[in-house]
Amino acid sequence: MKIWQLPSVLLLLISSVISHPHNLFEYNELSEYVDSHQEEYVQTLRDWVAVESDSSDVLKRPDCHRMMDMTAEKLRAMGGKVELVDIGVQEDLPVNVKFIIEGMEETGSNGLDAMIMAQRDSFLSDVDYILISDCGWLSRRPALTYGTRGNCYFFAEVEGPKQDLHSGVYGGTVIEPMTDLIGILDTLISPSGKILIPGIREAVAPLSDEEWKMYQDIEFDIESYKSKIGVSQLMYNNKVDLLAHRWRYPTVTVHGIEGAFSAPGTKTVIPAKVIAKFSIRQVPNMDPAVVKKQVTDYLNSVFAKRKSPNKLKVTMVIGAKPWLADTKHPLYEAGKAAVKRVFNVEPDLIREGGTIPIAKTFEDVTGKSIIMLPIGGFDDGLHSQNEKMSRYNYIEGTKLFIAYLHEVAHLKKN
Amino acid sequence: MKIWQLPSVLLLLISSVISHPHNLFEYNELSEYVDSHQEEYVQTLRDWVAVESDSSDVLKRPDCHRMMDMTAEKLRAMGGKVELVDIGVQEDLPVNVKFIIEGMEETGSNGLDAMIMAQRDSFLSDVDYILISDCGWLSRRPALTYGTRGNCYFFAEVEGPKQDLHSGVYGGTVIEPMTDLIGILDTLISPSGKILIPGIREAVAPLSDEEWKMYQDIEFDIESYKSKIGVSQLMYNNKVDLLAHRWRYPTVTVHGIEGAFSAPGTKTVIPAKVIAKFSIRQVPNMDPAVVKKQVTDYLNSVFAKRKSPNKLKVTMVIGAKPWLADTKHPLYEAGKAAVKRVFNVEPDLIREGGTIPIAKTFEDVTGKSIIMLPIGGFDDGLHSQNEKMSRYNYIEGTKLFIAYLHEVAHLKKN
């Protein structure tokens, strides 16, 4: 079964106003409603997480479809209309809400960009602001997210013999693709985390004094971060360096190698064609098009020095730009007020080390402002084993959305 | 499903004399019988290869069992007795034949050594000579094999965070196990094939003038070897260097990495624990116990220089010694005569780059002499895609066994 033979799960759910059990958009009443119906909310989440809708596992594609059906059903039950075209605007709330729900985030959300572009003059034409919640808090303190790193994802393929060979029979006579691949991968980054590809570090915007001060004030405990990850030592041992390298400096990760032996046990194979998967997180002022050329040129030159007869092919399969918002924008003021109302604290203003490519696309296509309003906990373990959501973040987060829509409604009226 | 939860396929088939349709052990008649029943032989092989008895694929374990049952059935149909204890000796042929058939060769034949040792004073007690046919010719010219390389198979495990992490969220702050692993793997062997682990090369027996001359006379066409593998350039460009590095020098192969992302597509994971699988082919006068210490000490010292907080664990999971026979032994004289009879040429005297650990075990346990008599073709593609056996090698090879038993019978009589 090939991944490209499977249907994707991209689904555009366009909903008109969600009618709530209360007709009045009154924060306190709605907040009480959330509390008193907490078990129903939890049951819904329980039903949803029971569906293994992981788009990175091709065998679970039917679960992704099921997840979409369940989501659509839920929206319909709440009075939303779910279909593939814009159904216009109705009034019984202070703001109208439209949803775009997408189920292939783990594997790069293929097709989502094109859909957004295609909907610019229809579904998206009357949208004033865009809210994205695909992110999380940094600590137990609520946060607003104002930046994300981009990501350039590369395949480096080394191809040698026409088929896999037995290492006993052929070992010593052939130049092995895996040796070549390891040789070039080892030139990407130093043990201390310095990126060795020429030009990458030079493109990074310098850290301003203001930024440094902001990082200093953010609630972040290094010891609990270490303990959460389960390591005895991090790449840096002070808060500002750690946050800065998480949010506003690039890094290289080698994710793995396709085509080599990866199962448990032993196998005496010389793999004929091996494909390394690695990515470089993007930050202002890097440009994926430039990075593509820098990486390709560098790896080709490193490979040439090996004088190997094998063939190297470097391709960039994802080139997502970083995104950065103005934290003084009214949308962020509304966010701060909403956090204050629900949690009675000021939010931390944070960035996200990961990539949410859709933010940049929304911005470019619509020209509208974006806010990222996370409700995910700092220890949710995104994309990892035992990913979870706490009841506190789920329920209080639901209230945060209520408060935020309330604040945005005021914005609109003013 | 864990590999160690599955039953292995090791099966000891002890057969008494195989009764042949002809009572007389007459080479010419038997050779004609083989020719006239060629279709039956081919059908048998067809039935056998249709069973996917690949012990390296845990899901195919039932096929391995089925293969054993079919083999046992075949031996029974030919008059052999198949059971787990020695049933004594009968007479209607000039030599008695016992078989040991084992179905887990791809994955290291776990348990076979122990069984051989356990059978030393029973099944193996009255055996005079041992013949192994798990090898192949070097060219279209028939060959006798007088040596094999051993193999030391290593796992190098680097463990960091307690679970996989998202490369966006954590990349830049953690010291990634995959970077460490690539860094140490890159120190094993140079682009030109030189092993960099101290002490390994020094242990290798020097190439004698006699050996050099023998290699010079062997039929081996570099161009067809290149074309068979599908490469434009080999590690060496002359026959002697190529054969020597295939048979009597060690080499390092990195087979792959367990625990990293290895599927098609993209995934933005920082793998928490990665295990490299690599092996070093063993030749006289290397000693696996010494190699284990050399590799472990070297990798630990290379790793220590990285100052990584991650944990490295190096284990040797297979330590198979090389094997070398005396080509002047009467068994080899019988082999030469048999080849001459069937093919009317002198065999090439060759070695095998791969490992047949059981040879060394047989030798150590029984103290008896061993011959390796291959009938596999030079282009069979062992353990690779589209592995095959040609009709010519299968049918003429069957005759070779007949002729060989004939020659060995003479040996016995003299």
Side-chain angles (χ1 to χ4, degrees), chain A residues 372-395:
Chain A
M372 290 202 189
L373 186 64
I375 66 163
F378 75 103
D379 54 356
D380 281 355
L382 300 181
H383 293 213
S384 182
Q385 293 98 330
N386 296 323
E387 184 174 0
K388 62 91 185 149
M389 171 171 253
S390 73
R391 185 180 283 247
Y392 174 77
N393 280 68
Y394 183 40
I395 298 300

PDB file of all heavy atoms in Angstrom, chain A residues 372-395:
ATOM      1  N   MET A 372      -2.798  33.711  17.635  1.00  0.00           N
ATOM      2  CA  MET A 372      -2.755  32.321  18.083  1.00  0.00           C
ATOM      3  C   MET A 372      -3.111  32.318  19.549  1.00  0.00           C
ATOM      4  O   MET A 372      -2.428  32.928  20.367  1.00  0.00           O
ATOM      5  CB  MET A 372      -1.386  31.722  17.851  1.00  0.00           C
ATOM      6  CG  MET A 372      -1.103  31.516  16.385  1.00  0.00           C
ATOM      7  SD  MET A 372       0.161  30.289  16.121  1.00  0.00           S
ATOM      8  CE  MET A 372       0.414  30.536  14.362  1.00  0.00           C
ATOM      9  N   LEU A 373      -4.198  31.629  19.866  1.00  0.00           N
ATOM     10  CA  LEU A 373      -4.737  31.589  21.215  1.00  0.00           C
ATOM     11  C   LEU A 373      -4.725  30.134  21.683  1.00  0.00           C
ATOM     12  O   LEU A 373      -5.632  29.376  21.376  1.00  0.00           O
ATOM     13  CB  LEU A 373      -6.171  32.145  21.190  1.00  0.00           C
ATOM     14  CG  LEU A 373      -6.876  32.329  22.521  1.00  0.00           C
ATOM     15  CD1 LEU A 373      -6.167  33.371  23.397  1.00  0.00           C
ATOM     16  CD2 LEU A 373      -8.320  32.751  22.292  1.00  0.00           C
ATOM     17  N   PRO A 374      -3.676  29.754  22.388  1.00  0.00           N
ATOM     18  CA  PRO A 374      -3.567  28.346  22.788  1.00  0.00           C
ATOM     19  C   PRO A 374      -4.370  28.015  24.026  1.00  0.00           C
ATOM     20  O   PRO A 374      -4.527  28.853  24.914  1.00  0.00           O
ATOM     21  CB  PRO A 374      -2.068  28.176  23.074  1.00  0.00           C
ATOM     22  CG  PRO A 374      -1.576  29.544  23.429  1.00  0.00           C
ATOM     23  CD  PRO A 374      -2.507  30.547  22.820  1.00  0.00           C
ATOM     24  N   ILE A 375      -4.861  26.794  24.072  1.00  0.00           N
ATOM     25  CA  ILE A 375      -5.423  26.290  25.337  1.00  0.00           C
ATOM     26  C   ILE A 375      -4.715  25.003  25.758  1.00  0.00           C
ATOM     27  O   ILE A 375      -4.972  24.472  26.830  1.00  0.00           O
ATOM     28  CB  ILE A 375      -6.957  26.079  25.275  1.00  0.00           C
ATOM     29  CG1 ILE A 375      -7.320  24.957  24.300  1.00  0.00           C
ATOM     30  CG2 ILE A 375      -7.674  27.363  24.927  1.00  0.00           C
ATOM     31  CD1 ILE A 375      -8.744  24.441  24.505  1.00  0.00           C
ATOM     32  N   GLY A 376      -3.816  24.478  24.926  1.00  0.00           N
ATOM     33  CA  GLY A 376      -3.080  23.252  25.243  1.00  0.00           C
ATOM     34  C   GLY A 376      -2.116  23.470  26.399  1.00  0.00           C
ATOM     35  O   GLY A 376      -1.530  24.529  26.537  1.00  0.00           O
ATOM     36  N   GLY A 377      -1.965  22.446  27.238  1.00  0.00           N
ATOM     37  CA  GLY A 377      -1.061  22.528  28.384  1.00  0.00           C
ATOM     38  C   GLY A 377       0.392  22.393  27.959  1.00  0.00           C
ATOM     39  O   GLY A 377       0.689  21.859  26.896  1.00  0.00           O
ATOM     40  N   PHE A 378       1.306  22.863  28.819  1.00  0.00           N
ATOM     41  CA  PHE A 378       2.735  22.831  28.473  1.00  0.00           C
ATOM     42  C   PHE A 378       3.280  21.409  28.422  1.00  0.00           C
ATOM     43  O   PHE A 378       4.289  21.166  27.803  1.00  0.00           O
ATOM     44  CB  PHE A 378       3.539  23.662  29.486  1.00  0.00           C
ATOM     45  CG  PHE A 378       3.711  22.994  30.821  1.00  0.00           C
ATOM     46  CD1 PHE A 378       4.930  22.387  31.151  1.00  0.00           C
ATOM     47  CD2 PHE A 378       2.682  22.958  31.745  1.00  0.00           C
ATOM     48  CE1 PHE A 378       5.089  21.770  32.385  1.00  0.00           C
ATOM     49  CE2 PHE A 378       2.837  22.343  32.976  1.00  0.00           C
ATOM     50  CZ  PHE A 378       4.042  21.743  33.305  1.00  0.00           C
ATOM     51  N   ASP A 379       2.573  20.475  29.062  1.00  0.00           N
ATOM     52  CA  ASP A 379       3.086  19.110  29.137  1.00  0.00           C
ATOM     53  C   ASP A 379       2.190  18.120  28.382  1.00  0.00           C
ATOM     54  O   ASP A 379       2.098  16.952  28.737  1.00  0.00           O
ATOM     55  CB  ASP A 379       3.235  18.683  30.606  1.00  0.00           C
ATOM     56  CG  ASP A 379       1.931  18.861  31.375  1.00  0.00           C
ATOM     57  OD1 ASP A 379       0.956  19.384  30.795  1.00  0.00           O
ATOM     58  OD2 ASP A 379       1.886  18.489  32.563  1.00  0.00           O
ATOM     59  N   ASP A 380       1.543  18.604  27.312  1.00  0.00           N
ATOM     60  CA  ASP A 380       0.613  17.730  26.582  1.00  0.00           C
ATOM     61  C   ASP A 380       1.319  16.653  25.752  1.00  0.00           C
ATOM     62  O   ASP A 380       0.732  15.641  25.413  1.00  0.00           O
ATOM     63  CB  ASP A 380      -0.292  18.569  25.663  1.00  0.00           C
ATOM     64  CG  ASP A 380      -1.426  19.235  26.440  1.00  0.00           C
ATOM     65  OD1 ASP A 380      -1.548  18.967  27.652  1.00  0.00           O
ATOM     66  OD2 ASP A 380      -2.175  20.012  25.831  1.00  0.00           O
ATOM     67  N   GLY A 381       2.608  16.890  25.410  1.00  0.00           N
ATOM     68  CA  GLY A 381       3.348  15.882  24.643  1.00  0.00           C
ATOM     69  C   GLY A 381       2.871  15.747  23.210  1.00  0.00           C
ATOM     70  O   GLY A 381       2.585  14.655  22.723  1.00  0.00           O
ATOM     71  N   LEU A 382       2.814  16.883  22.509  1.00  0.00           N
ATOM     72  CA  LEU A 382       2.336  16.899  21.119  1.00  0.00           C
ATOM     73  C   LEU A 382       3.087  15.906  20.240  1.00  0.00           C
ATOM     74  O   LEU A 382       4.312  15.865  20.270  1.00  0.00           O
ATOM     75  CB  LEU A 382       2.551  18.290  20.514  1.00  0.00           C
ATOM     76  CG  LEU A 382       1.851  19.465  21.185  1.00  0.00           C
ATOM     77  CD1 LEU A 382       2.166  20.742  20.415  1.00  0.00           C
ATOM     78  CD2 LEU A 382       0.351  19.228  21.233  1.00  0.00           C
ATOM     79  N   HIS A 383       2.360  15.147  19.439  1.00  0.00           N
ATOM     80  CA  HIS A 383       2.949  14.214  18.456  1.00  0.00           C
ATOM     81  C   HIS A 383       3.804  13.143  19.123  1.00  0.00           C
ATOM     82  O   HIS A 383       4.670  12.560  18.486  1.00  0.00           O
ATOM     83  CB  HIS A 383       3.851  14.940  17.444  1.00  0.00           C
ATOM     84  CG  HIS A 383       3.117  15.847  16.536  1.00  0.00           C
ATOM     85  ND1 HIS A 383       3.502  16.059  15.241  1.00  0.00           N
ATOM     86  CD2 HIS A 383       2.015  16.607  16.720  1.00  0.00           C
ATOM     87  CE1 HIS A 383       2.696  16.928  14.681  1.00  0.00           C
ATOM     88  NE2 HIS A 383       1.774  17.269  15.561  1.00  0.00           N
ATOM     89  N   SER A 384       3.644  12.942  20.399  1.00  0.00           N
ATOM     90  CA  SER A 384       4.534  12.024  21.102  1.00  0.00           C
ATOM     91  C   SER A 384       3.728  10.907  21.749  1.00  0.00           C
ATOM     92  O   SER A 384       2.501  10.851  21.647  1.00  0.00           O
ATOM     93  CB  SER A 384       5.320  12.812  22.145  1.00  0.00           C
ATOM     94  OG  SER A 384       6.222  11.982  22.831  1.00  0.00           O
ATOM     95  N   GLN A 385       4.470   9.999  22.412  1.00  0.00           N
ATOM     96  CA  GLN A 385       3.772   8.942  23.146  1.00  0.00           C
ATOM     97  C   GLN A 385       2.940   9.583  24.265  1.00  0.00           C
ATOM     98  O   GLN A 385       3.322  10.580  24.843  1.00  0.00           O
ATOM     99  CB  GLN A 385       4.774   7.969  23.773  1.00  0.00           C
ATOM    100  CG  GLN A 385       5.569   7.144  22.769  1.00  0.00           C
ATOM    101  CD  GLN A 385       6.933   7.727  22.494  1.00  0.00           C
ATOM    102  OE1 GLN A 385       7.113   8.940  22.569  1.00  0.00           O
ATOM    103  NE2 GLN A 385       7.884   6.897  22.137  1.00  0.00           N
ATOM    104  N   ASN A 386       1.798   8.980  24.571  1.00  0.00           N
ATOM    105  CA  ASN A 386       0.941   9.451  25.668  1.00  0.00           C
ATOM    106  C   ASN A 386       0.571  10.932  25.576  1.00  0.00           C
ATOM    107  O   ASN A 386       0.524  11.634  26.576  1.00  0.00           O
ATOM    108  CB  ASN A 386       1.609   9.186  27.017  1.00  0.00           C
ATOM    109  CG  ASN A 386       1.784   7.703  27.263  1.00  0.00           C
ATOM    110  OD1 ASN A 386       0.910   6.925  26.891  1.00  0.00           O
ATOM    111  ND2 ASN A 386       2.904   7.312  27.833  1.00  0.00           N
ATOM    112  N   GLU A 387       0.314  11.410  24.376  1.00  0.00           N
ATOM    113  CA  GLU A 387      -0.182  12.772  24.210  1.00  0.00           C
ATOM    114  C   GLU A 387      -1.496  12.885  25.013  1.00  0.00           C
ATOM    115  O   GLU A 387      -2.285  11.957  25.047  1.00  0.00           O
ATOM    116  CB  GLU A 387      -0.441  13.038  22.728  1.00  0.00           C
ATOM    117  CG  GLU A 387      -0.871  14.448  22.441  1.00  0.00           C
ATOM    118  CD  GLU A 387      -0.967  14.721  20.934  1.00  0.00           C
ATOM    119  OE1 GLU A 387      -0.696  13.806  20.146  1.00  0.00           O
ATOM    120  OE2 GLU A 387      -1.326  15.852  20.567  1.00  0.00           O
ATOM    121  N   LYS A 388      -1.704  14.016  25.673  1.00  0.00           N
ATOM    122  CA  LYS A 388      -2.904  14.151  26.511  1.00  0.00           C
ATOM    123  C   LYS A 388      -3.395  15.591  26.520  1.00  0.00           C
ATOM    124  O   LYS A 388      -2.719  16.511  26.035  1.00  0.00           O
ATOM    125  CB  LYS A 388      -2.599  13.660  27.926  1.00  0.00           C
ATOM    126  CG  LYS A 388      -1.507  14.436  28.671  1.00  0.00           C
ATOM    127  CD  LYS A 388      -2.057  15.587  29.496  1.00  0.00           C
ATOM    128  CE  LYS A 388      -0.942  16.400  30.114  1.00  0.00           C
ATOM    129  NZ  LYS A 388      -1.281  17.797  30.275  1.00  0.00           N
ATOM    130  N   MET A 389      -4.592  15.791  27.080  1.00  0.00           N
ATOM    131  CA  MET A 389      -5.062  17.128  27.397  1.00  0.00           C
ATOM    132  C   MET A 389      -5.644  17.065  28.795  1.00  0.00           C
ATOM    133  O   MET A 389      -6.412  16.152  29.114  1.00  0.00           O
ATOM    134  CB  MET A 389      -6.122  17.578  26.403  1.00  0.00           C
ATOM    135  CG  MET A 389      -6.803  18.872  26.825  1.00  0.00           C
ATOM    136  SD  MET A 389      -7.881  19.564  25.563  1.00  0.00           S
ATOM    137  CE  MET A 389      -6.904  20.947  25.022  1.00  0.00           C
ATOM    138  N   SER A 390      -5.302  18.044  29.646  1.00  0.00           N
ATOM    139  CA  SER A 390      -5.827  18.003  31.015  1.00  0.00           C
ATOM    140  C   SER A 390      -7.235  18.570  31.037  1.00  0.00           C
ATOM    141  O   SER A 390      -7.602  19.415  30.220  1.00  0.00           O
ATOM    142  CB  SER A 390      -4.927  18.801  31.959  1.00  0.00           C
ATOM    143  OG  SER A 390      -5.091  20.175  31.716  1.00  0.00           O
ATOM    144  N   ARG A 391      -8.006  18.088  31.988  1.00  0.00           N
ATOM    145  CA  ARG A 391      -9.372  18.572  32.151  1.00  0.00           C
ATOM    146  C   ARG A 391      -9.376  20.089  32.409  1.00  0.00           C
ATOM    147  O   ARG A 391     -10.205  20.819  31.864  1.00  0.00           O
ATOM    148  CB  ARG A 391     -10.018  17.840  33.330  1.00  0.00           C
ATOM    149  CG  ARG A 391     -11.475  18.158  33.540  1.00  0.00           C
ATOM    150  CD  ARG A 391     -12.000  17.360  34.731  1.00  0.00           C
ATOM    151  NE  ARG A 391     -12.238  15.977  34.349  1.00  0.00           N
ATOM    152  CZ  ARG A 391     -13.477  15.447  34.295  1.00  0.00           C
ATOM    153  NH1 ARG A 391     -14.533  16.173  34.573  1.00  0.00           N
ATOM    154  NH2 ARG A 391     -13.644  14.195  33.971  1.00  0.00           N
ATOM    155  N   TYR A 392      -8.417  20.563  33.181  1.00  0.00           N
ATOM    156  CA  TYR A 392      -8.340  21.991  33.494  1.00  0.00           C
ATOM    157  C   TYR A 392      -8.189  22.829  32.225  1.00  0.00           C
ATOM    158  O   TYR A 392      -8.936  23.792  31.993  1.00  0.00           O
ATOM    159  CB  TYR A 392      -7.160  22.239  34.446  1.00  0.00           C
ATOM    160  CG  TYR A 392      -6.895  23.702  34.731  1.00  0.00           C
ATOM    161  CD1 TYR A 392      -7.694  24.416  35.611  1.00  0.00           C
ATOM    162  CD2 TYR A 392      -5.827  24.364  34.111  1.00  0.00           C
ATOM    163  CE1 TYR A 392      -7.448  25.763  35.876  1.00  0.00           C
ATOM    164  CE2 TYR A 392      -5.573  25.706  34.365  1.00  0.00           C
ATOM    165  CZ  TYR A 392      -6.383  26.401  35.244  1.00  0.00           C
ATOM    166  OH  TYR A 392      -6.141  27.721  35.500  1.00  0.00           O
ATOM    167  N   ASN A 393      -7.229  22.435  31.379  1.00  0.00           N
ATOM    168  CA  ASN A 393      -7.014  23.217  30.161  1.00  0.00           C
ATOM    169  C   ASN A 393      -8.209  23.126  29.202  1.00  0.00           C
ATOM    170  O   ASN A 393      -8.544  24.079  28.515  1.00  0.00           O
ATOM    171  CB  ASN A 393      -5.763  22.744  29.438  1.00  0.00           C
ATOM    172  CG  ASN A 393      -4.510  23.313  30.046  1.00  0.00           C
ATOM    173  OD1 ASN A 393      -4.148  22.971  31.164  1.00  0.00           O
ATOM    174  ND2 ASN A 393      -3.872  24.239  29.344  1.00  0.00           N
ATOM    175  N   TYR A 394      -8.841  21.970  29.192  1.00  0.00           N
ATOM    176  CA  TYR A 394      -9.972  21.759  28.293  1.00  0.00           C
ATOM    177  C   TYR A 394     -11.157  22.628  28.703  1.00  0.00           C
ATOM    178  O   TYR A 394     -11.740  23.362  27.887  1.00  0.00           O
ATOM    179  CB  TYR A 394     -10.319  20.266  28.325  1.00  0.00           C
ATOM    180  CG  TYR A 394     -11.430  19.827  27.405  1.00  0.00           C
ATOM    181  CD1 TYR A 394     -11.564  20.335  26.109  1.00  0.00           C
ATOM    182  CD2 TYR A 394     -12.340  18.859  27.819  1.00  0.00           C
ATOM    183  CE1 TYR A 394     -12.578  19.899  25.273  1.00  0.00           C
ATOM    184  CE2 TYR A 394     -13.352  18.409  26.995  1.00  0.00           C
ATOM    185  CZ  TYR A 394     -13.476  18.939  25.716  1.00  0.00           C
ATOM    186  OH  TYR A 394     -14.469  18.505  24.893  1.00  0.00           O
ATOM    187  N   ILE A 395     -11.485  22.589  29.966  1.00  0.00           N
ATOM    188  CA  ILE A 395     -12.685  23.301  30.441  1.00  0.00           C
ATOM    189  C   ILE A 395     -12.422  24.816  30.537  1.00  0.00           C
ATOM    190  O   ILE A 395     -13.191  25.630  30.007  1.00  0.00           O
ATOM    191  CB  ILE A 395     -13.141  22.734  31.807  1.00  0.00           C
ATOM    192  CG1 ILE A 395     -13.524  21.253  31.639  1.00  0.00           C
ATOM    193  CG2 ILE A 395     -14.293  23.551  32.371  1.00  0.00           C
ATOM    194  CD1 ILE A 395     -14.653  21.007  30.644  1.00  0.00           C
TER     195      ILE A 395
END
